[in-house]
Amino acid sequence: MDPFPIPLLFPTTTKDRRIELELRLLVEELESGAYDYLVHLILEVPSLVDVVKDELARLRTCFQTSRVSILEESTPDVALPPYCVKPESWQGEESRSYALSL
């Protein structure tokens, strides 16, 4: 078995910094019948990602129900916990920075 299988989704960057999401290989795998137990598709795509419409239409035919949403908002930033940015909040007495230099 290949330890590094080829991914089924291929995001590629285009000239205007948008990303194109290719669904062809995923659709071909689903059309093989190996995943007939999947009945619902929920796909949420960030607004900077373009999906090939023909591939999306083929993908939808592989499911009984489907919902595709374009997300206008970007993913919110999440604050790092204090121990990631403040050495004084590390647990224990010794510095853990040695682990980074190994």
Side-chain angles (χ1 to χ4, degrees), residues 85-98:
V85 293
K86 295 180 183 176
E88 63 272 11
S89 63
W90 289 346
Q91 301 275 327
E93 294 182 20
E94 72 178 47
S95 167
R96 294 185 184 175
S97 60
Y98 69 90

Side-chain angles (χ1 to χ4, degrees), residues 7 36 38 40 51 54 58 63:
D36 283 346
L38 298 174
H40 306 291
V51 180
D54 294 342
R58 279 181 60 200
F63 298 91

Side-chain angles (χ1 to χ4, degrees), residues 29-68:
E29 188 72 22
L30 289 167
E31 288 176 343
S32 74
Y35 301 95
D36 283 346
Y37 56 89
L38 298 174
V39 293
H40 306 291
L41 168 68
I42 298 174
L43 181 62
E44 294 183 339
V45 182
S47 59
L48 68 111
V49 174
D50 291 325
V51 180
V52 179
K53 292 188 186 332
D54 294 342
E55 292 176 0
L56 182 58
R58 279 181 60 200
L59 180 64
R60 286 180 172 213
T61 65
C62 298
F63 298 91
Q64 292 177 13
T65 62
S66 64
R67 184 181 81 206
V68 178

